[in-house]
Short mmCIF file of all heavy atoms in Angstrom, two decimals:
data_model
loop_
_atom_site.label_atom_id
_atom_site.label_comp_id
_atom_site.label_asym_id
_atom_site.label_seq_id
_atom_site.Cartn_x
_atom_site.Cartn_y
_atom_site.Cartn_z
N ALA A 30 -25.86 55.92 -27.91
CA ALA A 30 -24.90 54.83 -27.67
C ALA A 30 -24.62 54.68 -26.17
O ALA A 30 -24.56 53.56 -25.65
CB ALA A 30 -23.61 55.09 -28.43
N TRP A 31 -24.46 55.80 -25.47
CA TRP A 31 -24.21 55.76 -24.03
C TRP A 31 -25.40 55.15 -23.28
O TRP A 31 -25.22 54.33 -22.37
CB TRP A 31 -23.92 57.16 -23.50
CG TRP A 31 -23.78 57.21 -22.03
CD1 TRP A 31 -24.70 57.62 -21.13
CD2 TRP A 31 -22.64 56.79 -21.26
NE1 TRP A 31 -24.22 57.50 -19.86
CE2 TRP A 31 -22.96 57.00 -19.91
CE3 TRP A 31 -21.40 56.28 -21.60
CZ2 TRP A 31 -22.07 56.69 -18.90
CZ3 TRP A 31 -20.51 55.98 -20.57
CH2 TRP A 31 -20.85 56.19 -19.25
N ALA A 32 -26.62 55.54 -23.67
CA ALA A 32 -27.81 55.02 -22.99
C ALA A 32 -27.96 53.52 -23.21
O ALA A 32 -28.29 52.78 -22.28
CB ALA A 32 -29.05 55.76 -23.49
N ILE A 33 -27.70 53.06 -24.43
CA ILE A 33 -27.78 51.62 -24.70
C ILE A 33 -26.70 50.88 -23.93
O ILE A 33 -26.95 49.80 -23.39
CB ILE A 33 -27.68 51.37 -26.22
CG1 ILE A 33 -28.95 51.88 -26.91
CG2 ILE A 33 -27.45 49.91 -26.53
CD1 ILE A 33 -28.87 51.92 -28.41
N LEU A 34 -25.51 51.46 -23.86
CA LEU A 34 -24.41 50.82 -23.11
C LEU A 34 -24.75 50.71 -21.63
O LEU A 34 -24.56 49.65 -21.02
CB LEU A 34 -23.11 51.59 -23.31
CG LEU A 34 -21.91 51.06 -22.55
CD1 LEU A 34 -21.45 49.74 -23.15
CD2 LEU A 34 -20.79 52.08 -22.57
N THR A 35 -25.25 51.78 -21.03
CA THR A 35 -25.59 51.72 -19.60
C THR A 35 -26.73 50.74 -19.34
O THR A 35 -26.70 50.01 -18.35
CB THR A 35 -25.97 53.11 -19.06
OG1 THR A 35 -27.04 53.65 -19.82
CG2 THR A 35 -24.79 54.04 -19.07
N LEU A 36 -27.72 50.73 -20.22
CA LEU A 36 -28.83 49.79 -20.07
C LEU A 36 -28.33 48.35 -20.16
O LEU A 36 -28.72 47.49 -19.36
CB LEU A 36 -29.90 50.06 -21.13
CG LEU A 36 -31.15 49.20 -21.08
CD1 LEU A 36 -31.92 49.48 -19.80
CD2 LEU A 36 -32.01 49.47 -22.29
N THR A 37 -27.44 48.09 -21.10
CA THR A 37 -26.89 46.74 -21.26
C THR A 37 -26.06 46.33 -20.05
O THR A 37 -26.21 45.21 -19.55
CB THR A 37 -26.03 46.68 -22.54
OG1 THR A 37 -26.83 47.09 -23.65
CG2 THR A 37 -25.51 45.28 -22.78
N LEU A 38 -25.20 47.23 -19.58
CA LEU A 38 -24.35 46.89 -18.43
C LEU A 38 -25.18 46.69 -17.16
O LEU A 38 -24.90 45.76 -16.38
CB LEU A 38 -23.29 47.97 -18.22
CG LEU A 38 -22.17 47.99 -19.25
CD1 LEU A 38 -21.24 49.17 -18.99
CD2 LEU A 38 -21.40 46.69 -19.24
N LEU A 39 -26.16 47.54 -16.94
CA LEU A 39 -27.00 47.35 -15.76
C LEU A 39 -27.79 46.05 -15.82
O LEU A 39 -27.99 45.39 -14.81
CB LEU A 39 -27.95 48.54 -15.59
CG LEU A 39 -27.32 49.83 -15.09
CD1 LEU A 39 -28.33 50.97 -15.12
CD2 LEU A 39 -26.75 49.67 -13.69
N THR A 40 -28.21 45.67 -17.01
CA THR A 40 -28.92 44.41 -17.18
C THR A 40 -27.98 43.23 -16.95
O THR A 40 -28.35 42.26 -16.29
CB THR A 40 -29.54 44.32 -18.58
OG1 THR A 40 -30.39 45.46 -18.77
CG2 THR A 40 -30.36 43.07 -18.74
N LEU A 41 -26.76 43.33 -17.48
CA LEU A 41 -25.79 42.24 -17.29
C LEU A 41 -25.42 42.05 -15.83
O LEU A 41 -25.24 40.93 -15.37
CB LEU A 41 -24.53 42.50 -18.11
CG LEU A 41 -24.64 42.26 -19.62
CD1 LEU A 41 -23.34 42.66 -20.30
CD2 LEU A 41 -24.95 40.81 -19.91
N PHE A 42 -25.30 43.14 -15.09
CA PHE A 42 -24.94 43.05 -13.68
C PHE A 42 -26.16 42.83 -12.78
O PHE A 42 -26.05 42.85 -11.56
CB PHE A 42 -24.19 44.29 -13.23
CG PHE A 42 -22.82 44.40 -13.83
CD1 PHE A 42 -22.39 45.59 -14.40
CD2 PHE A 42 -21.96 43.32 -13.86
CE1 PHE A 42 -21.14 45.71 -14.94
CE2 PHE A 42 -20.70 43.43 -14.41
CZ PHE A 42 -20.29 44.62 -14.96
N ASN A 43 -27.32 42.65 -13.41
CA ASN A 43 -28.57 42.36 -12.71
C ASN A 43 -28.90 43.44 -11.66
O ASN A 43 -29.37 43.13 -10.57
CB ASN A 43 -28.51 40.97 -12.06
CG ASN A 43 -29.89 40.41 -11.84
OD1 ASN A 43 -30.85 40.87 -12.45
ND2 ASN A 43 -29.99 39.42 -10.98
N SER A 44 -28.61 44.68 -12.00
CA SER A 44 -28.95 45.78 -11.10
C SER A 44 -29.68 46.88 -11.85
O SER A 44 -29.44 48.06 -11.63
CB SER A 44 -27.68 46.33 -10.45
OG SER A 44 -26.80 46.80 -11.44
N LEU A 45 -30.59 46.47 -12.72
CA LEU A 45 -31.37 47.43 -13.49
C LEU A 45 -32.37 48.10 -12.57
O LEU A 45 -33.25 47.46 -12.00
CB LEU A 45 -32.08 46.73 -14.65
CG LEU A 45 -32.82 47.63 -15.63
CD1 LEU A 45 -31.87 48.63 -16.26
CD2 LEU A 45 -33.48 46.80 -16.71
N ASN A 46 -32.21 49.39 -12.43
CA ASN A 46 -33.03 50.20 -11.55
C ASN A 46 -33.20 51.56 -12.23
O ASN A 46 -32.25 52.09 -12.80
CB ASN A 46 -32.31 50.35 -10.20
CG ASN A 46 -33.14 51.06 -9.17
OD1 ASN A 46 -34.21 51.57 -9.47
ND2 ASN A 46 -32.62 51.11 -7.96
N TYR A 47 -34.38 52.13 -12.18
CA TYR A 47 -34.59 53.39 -12.89
C TYR A 47 -33.72 54.51 -12.31
O TYR A 47 -33.31 55.41 -13.04
CB TYR A 47 -36.07 53.78 -12.89
CG TYR A 47 -36.59 54.29 -11.56
CD1 TYR A 47 -36.58 55.65 -11.29
CD2 TYR A 47 -37.12 53.43 -10.62
CE1 TYR A 47 -37.05 56.13 -10.08
CE2 TYR A 47 -37.59 53.89 -9.42
CZ TYR A 47 -37.56 55.25 -9.15
OH TYR A 47 -38.03 55.72 -7.97
N GLU A 48 -33.41 54.46 -11.02
CA GLU A 48 -32.56 55.50 -10.43
C GLU A 48 -31.14 55.40 -10.95
O GLU A 48 -30.54 56.42 -11.32
CB GLU A 48 -32.58 55.37 -8.91
CG GLU A 48 -33.92 55.69 -8.30
CD GLU A 48 -33.99 55.35 -6.84
OE1 GLU A 48 -33.10 54.62 -6.34
OE2 GLU A 48 -34.93 55.82 -6.19
N TYR A 49 -30.58 54.19 -10.99
CA TYR A 49 -29.23 54.02 -11.52
C TYR A 49 -29.17 54.41 -12.98
O TYR A 49 -28.24 55.10 -13.41
CB TYR A 49 -28.77 52.57 -11.38
CG TYR A 49 -28.57 52.08 -9.97
CD1 TYR A 49 -28.65 50.73 -9.67
CD2 TYR A 49 -28.30 52.95 -8.93
CE1 TYR A 49 -28.46 50.27 -8.39
CE2 TYR A 49 -28.12 52.50 -7.65
CZ TYR A 49 -28.20 51.16 -7.38
OH TYR A 49 -28.03 50.71 -6.11
N LEU A 50 -30.16 53.98 -13.74
CA LEU A 50 -30.18 54.29 -15.16
C LEU A 50 -30.29 55.80 -15.38
O LEU A 50 -29.57 56.36 -16.23
CB LEU A 50 -31.34 53.57 -15.84
CG LEU A 50 -31.45 53.75 -17.35
CD1 LEU A 50 -30.25 53.12 -18.05
CD2 LEU A 50 -32.73 53.12 -17.86
N PHE A 51 -31.14 56.46 -14.63
CA PHE A 51 -31.29 57.90 -14.79
C PHE A 51 -30.01 58.64 -14.45
O PHE A 51 -29.59 59.54 -15.18
CB PHE A 51 -32.44 58.42 -13.92
CG PHE A 51 -32.60 59.91 -13.98
CD1 PHE A 51 -33.19 60.50 -15.08
CD2 PHE A 51 -32.12 60.72 -12.96
CE1 PHE A 51 -33.32 61.87 -15.16
CE2 PHE A 51 -32.25 62.08 -13.03
CZ PHE A 51 -32.84 62.66 -14.13
N VAL A 52 -29.38 58.29 -13.33
CA VAL A 52 -28.16 58.99 -12.91
C VAL A 52 -27.03 58.76 -13.92
O VAL A 52 -26.34 59.72 -14.31
CB VAL A 52 -27.74 58.54 -11.49
CG1 VAL A 52 -26.36 59.04 -11.14
CG2 VAL A 52 -28.76 59.02 -10.48
N LEU A 53 -26.85 57.53 -14.36
CA LEU A 53 -25.79 57.26 -15.34
C LEU A 53 -26.06 57.94 -16.67
O LEU A 53 -25.13 58.47 -17.31
CB LEU A 53 -25.62 55.76 -15.52
CG LEU A 53 -25.01 55.01 -14.35
CD1 LEU A 53 -25.04 53.52 -14.59
CD2 LEU A 53 -23.60 55.49 -14.10
N ASP A 54 -27.31 57.96 -17.10
CA ASP A 54 -27.63 58.64 -18.35
C ASP A 54 -27.47 60.15 -18.23
O ASP A 54 -27.02 60.81 -19.16
CB ASP A 54 -29.04 58.29 -18.81
CG ASP A 54 -29.12 56.92 -19.42
OD1 ASP A 54 -28.05 56.34 -19.74
OD2 ASP A 54 -30.24 56.40 -19.58
N LEU A 55 -27.83 60.71 -17.08
CA LEU A 55 -27.64 62.15 -16.88
C LEU A 55 -26.16 62.51 -16.89
O LEU A 55 -25.76 63.49 -17.52
CB LEU A 55 -28.30 62.60 -15.57
CG LEU A 55 -28.13 64.07 -15.22
CD1 LEU A 55 -28.84 64.94 -16.25
CD2 LEU A 55 -28.67 64.36 -13.83
N LEU A 56 -25.35 61.72 -16.19
CA LEU A 56 -23.91 61.98 -16.21
C LEU A 56 -23.35 61.87 -17.62
O LEU A 56 -22.52 62.68 -18.04
CB LEU A 56 -23.19 61.01 -15.27
CG LEU A 56 -23.38 61.26 -13.79
CD1 LEU A 56 -22.74 60.14 -12.99
CD2 LEU A 56 -22.80 62.59 -13.40
N GLY A 57 -23.79 60.87 -18.35
CA GLY A 57 -23.34 60.72 -19.73
C GLY A 57 -23.74 61.90 -20.59
O GLY A 57 -22.95 62.39 -21.39
N LEU A 58 -24.97 62.37 -20.42
CA LEU A 58 -25.42 63.52 -21.20
C LEU A 58 -24.63 64.78 -20.86
O LEU A 58 -24.27 65.55 -21.75
CB LEU A 58 -26.92 63.76 -20.98
CG LEU A 58 -27.56 64.88 -21.79
CD1 LEU A 58 -27.43 64.61 -23.29
CD2 LEU A 58 -29.01 65.06 -21.41
N LEU A 59 -24.34 64.97 -19.60
CA LEU A 59 -23.55 66.14 -19.20
C LEU A 59 -22.14 66.09 -19.80
O LEU A 59 -21.64 67.09 -20.32
CB LEU A 59 -23.47 66.23 -17.67
CG LEU A 59 -24.76 66.63 -16.97
CD1 LEU A 59 -24.63 66.43 -15.47
CD2 LEU A 59 -25.11 68.08 -17.27
N VAL A 60 -21.51 64.93 -19.73
CA VAL A 60 -20.14 64.79 -20.27
C VAL A 60 -20.15 64.93 -21.78
O VAL A 60 -19.31 65.65 -22.35
CB VAL A 60 -19.54 63.44 -19.83
CG1 VAL A 60 -18.25 63.14 -20.58
CG2 VAL A 60 -19.29 63.43 -18.34
N ILE A 61 -21.07 64.27 -22.44
CA ILE A 61 -21.14 64.34 -23.91
C ILE A 61 -21.42 65.77 -24.36
O ILE A 61 -20.83 66.26 -25.33
CB ILE A 61 -22.20 63.37 -24.44
CG1 ILE A 61 -21.71 61.93 -24.27
CG2 ILE A 61 -22.53 63.64 -25.89
CD1 ILE A 61 -22.78 60.89 -24.48
N THR A 62 -22.28 66.47 -23.66
CA THR A 62 -22.58 67.86 -24.02
C THR A 62 -21.34 68.74 -23.89
O THR A 62 -21.06 69.56 -24.77
CB THR A 62 -23.71 68.41 -23.13
OG1 THR A 62 -24.85 67.59 -23.28
CG2 THR A 62 -24.05 69.82 -23.50
N GLN A 63 -20.60 68.55 -22.82
CA GLN A 63 -19.41 69.37 -22.63
C GLN A 63 -18.32 69.04 -23.65
O GLN A 63 -17.59 69.92 -24.09
CB GLN A 63 -18.86 69.19 -21.21
CG GLN A 63 -19.70 69.84 -20.17
CD GLN A 63 -19.85 71.33 -20.39
OE1 GLN A 63 -18.89 72.04 -20.62
NE2 GLN A 63 -21.08 71.81 -20.34
N LEU A 64 -18.21 67.78 -24.01
CA LEU A 64 -17.16 67.39 -24.95
C LEU A 64 -17.48 67.76 -26.39
O LEU A 64 -16.57 68.11 -27.16
CB LEU A 64 -16.90 65.88 -24.86
CG LEU A 64 -16.24 65.39 -23.59
CD1 LEU A 64 -16.12 63.87 -23.62
CD2 LEU A 64 -14.87 66.02 -23.42
N LEU A 65 -18.74 67.69 -26.79
CA LEU A 65 -19.08 67.88 -28.19
C LEU A 65 -19.66 69.25 -28.55
O LEU A 65 -19.75 69.57 -29.72
CB LEU A 65 -20.06 66.79 -28.64
CG LEU A 65 -19.51 65.37 -28.66
CD1 LEU A 65 -20.57 64.40 -29.16
CD2 LEU A 65 -18.29 65.28 -29.55
N SER A 66 -20.06 70.04 -27.57
CA SER A 66 -20.62 71.34 -27.92
C SER A 66 -19.50 72.35 -28.13
O SER A 66 -18.48 72.32 -27.43
CB SER A 66 -21.59 71.82 -26.85
OG SER A 66 -20.92 72.04 -25.65
N PRO A 67 -19.69 73.26 -29.08
CA PRO A 67 -18.64 74.26 -29.34
C PRO A 67 -18.53 75.23 -28.17
O PRO A 67 -19.52 75.55 -27.51
CB PRO A 67 -19.12 74.95 -30.61
CG PRO A 67 -20.57 74.68 -30.68
CD PRO A 67 -20.81 73.38 -29.98
N TYR A 68 -17.33 75.70 -27.92
CA TYR A 68 -17.13 76.60 -26.78
C TYR A 68 -16.93 78.04 -27.21
O TYR A 68 -16.90 78.94 -26.38
CB TYR A 68 -15.94 76.14 -25.94
CG TYR A 68 -14.66 75.98 -26.71
CD1 TYR A 68 -13.78 77.04 -26.86
CD2 TYR A 68 -14.33 74.76 -27.28
CE1 TYR A 68 -12.62 76.88 -27.58
CE2 TYR A 68 -13.18 74.60 -28.01
CZ TYR A 68 -12.32 75.68 -28.15
OH TYR A 68 -11.16 75.53 -28.86
N THR A 69 -16.78 78.31 -28.49
CA THR A 69 -16.58 79.68 -28.95
C THR A 69 -17.89 80.40 -29.25
O THR A 69 -17.93 81.62 -29.26
CB THR A 69 -15.70 79.70 -30.21
OG1 THR A 69 -16.31 78.87 -31.20
CG2 THR A 69 -14.31 79.19 -29.90
N MET A 70 -18.94 79.66 -29.52
CA MET A 70 -20.24 80.26 -29.81
C MET A 70 -21.34 79.37 -29.24
O MET A 70 -21.10 78.22 -28.90
CB MET A 70 -20.44 80.44 -31.31
CG MET A 70 -20.40 79.16 -32.10
SD MET A 70 -20.66 79.48 -33.83
CE MET A 70 -21.91 78.28 -34.17
N LYS A 71 -22.54 79.93 -29.14
CA LYS A 71 -23.67 79.17 -28.61
C LYS A 71 -24.64 78.89 -29.76
O LYS A 71 -25.34 79.80 -30.22
CB LYS A 71 -24.35 79.95 -27.50
CG LYS A 71 -25.29 79.13 -26.68
CD LYS A 71 -25.68 79.86 -25.42
CE LYS A 71 -26.45 78.93 -24.53
NZ LYS A 71 -26.74 79.52 -23.25
N PRO A 72 -24.70 77.64 -30.23
CA PRO A 72 -25.60 77.33 -31.35
C PRO A 72 -27.07 77.42 -30.94
O PRO A 72 -27.41 77.47 -29.76
CB PRO A 72 -25.22 75.91 -31.74
CG PRO A 72 -24.45 75.37 -30.61
CD PRO A 72 -23.92 76.51 -29.81
N LYS A 73 -27.94 77.40 -31.96
CA LYS A 73 -29.38 77.54 -31.72
C LYS A 73 -29.96 76.39 -30.91
O LYS A 73 -30.91 76.56 -30.17
CB LYS A 73 -30.13 77.65 -33.05
CG LYS A 73 -29.96 78.98 -33.73
CD LYS A 73 -30.89 79.08 -34.92
CE LYS A 73 -30.15 78.66 -36.15
NZ LYS A 73 -30.94 78.80 -37.37
N TRP A 74 -29.39 75.20 -31.02
CA TRP A 74 -29.94 74.04 -30.34
C TRP A 74 -29.51 73.95 -28.88
O TRP A 74 -30.08 73.20 -28.11
CB TRP A 74 -29.55 72.74 -31.07
CG TRP A 74 -28.08 72.61 -31.36
CD1 TRP A 74 -27.45 72.95 -32.51
CD2 TRP A 74 -27.07 72.10 -30.49
NE1 TRP A 74 -26.11 72.69 -32.42
CE2 TRP A 74 -25.84 72.16 -31.18
CE3 TRP A 74 -27.07 71.61 -29.19
CZ2 TRP A 74 -24.64 71.76 -30.63
CZ3 TRP A 74 -25.87 71.19 -28.63
CH2 TRP A 74 -24.67 71.28 -29.36
N ARG A 75 -28.51 74.72 -28.48
CA ARG A 75 -27.98 74.59 -27.11
C ARG A 75 -28.99 75.00 -26.02
O ARG A 75 -29.09 74.32 -24.99
CB ARG A 75 -26.69 75.40 -27.00
CG ARG A 75 -26.01 75.31 -25.65
CD ARG A 75 -25.60 73.90 -25.33
NE ARG A 75 -25.33 73.72 -23.94
CZ ARG A 75 -24.14 73.55 -23.42
NH1 ARG A 75 -23.09 73.51 -24.20
NH2 ARG A 75 -23.98 73.41 -22.13
N PRO A 76 -29.77 76.09 -26.19
CA PRO A 76 -30.75 76.40 -25.14
C PRO A 76 -31.81 75.31 -24.93
O PRO A 76 -32.25 75.08 -23.81
CB PRO A 76 -31.41 77.70 -25.62
CG PRO A 76 -30.41 78.32 -26.51
CD PRO A 76 -29.68 77.18 -27.16
N ARG A 77 -32.19 74.62 -26.01
CA ARG A 77 -33.15 73.52 -25.86
C ARG A 77 -32.52 72.37 -25.07
O ARG A 77 -33.19 71.72 -24.27
CB ARG A 77 -33.62 73.05 -27.23
CG ARG A 77 -34.48 74.06 -27.94
CD ARG A 77 -35.06 73.48 -29.19
NE ARG A 77 -34.04 73.06 -30.13
CZ ARG A 77 -33.75 73.69 -31.26
NH1 ARG A 77 -34.41 74.76 -31.60
NH2 ARG A 77 -32.81 73.23 -32.06
#
C-alpha cells in the first residue's frame, strides 16, 4: 500500500524518479518494519 501510494503521489506531482521512489519506499519499509514487527522475540522471517 505504501509503495502504491508513493508511486501515485510522485506521478501526480510529475516528479517520478527512481531515486525518489527508492528512498521513499525504503523509508516506508523501515518504518513499517519497526511498527509491525514484534519486539519481544525475533520471528523466523525477520532475518530475511
Side-chain angles (χ1 to χ4, degrees):
W31 175 259
I33 291 169
L34 178 70
T35 56
L36 183 65
T37 304
L38 287 176
L39 286 173
T40 304
L41 284 176
F42 292 133
N43 204 18
S44 60
L45 186 59
N46 186 353
Y47 74 92
E48 293 171 345
Y49 293 156
L50 183 65
F51 177 77
V52 169
L53 289 174
D54 284 345
L55 178 64
L56 288 174
L58 183 61
L59 289 169
V60 169
I61 289 168
T62 302
Q63 288 301 312
L64 290 177
L65 293 181
S66 65
Y68 55 89
T69 55
M70 60 179 230
K71 194 167 189 174
K73 286 189 266 183
W74 51 265
R75 182 62 197 251
R77 291 188 299 253

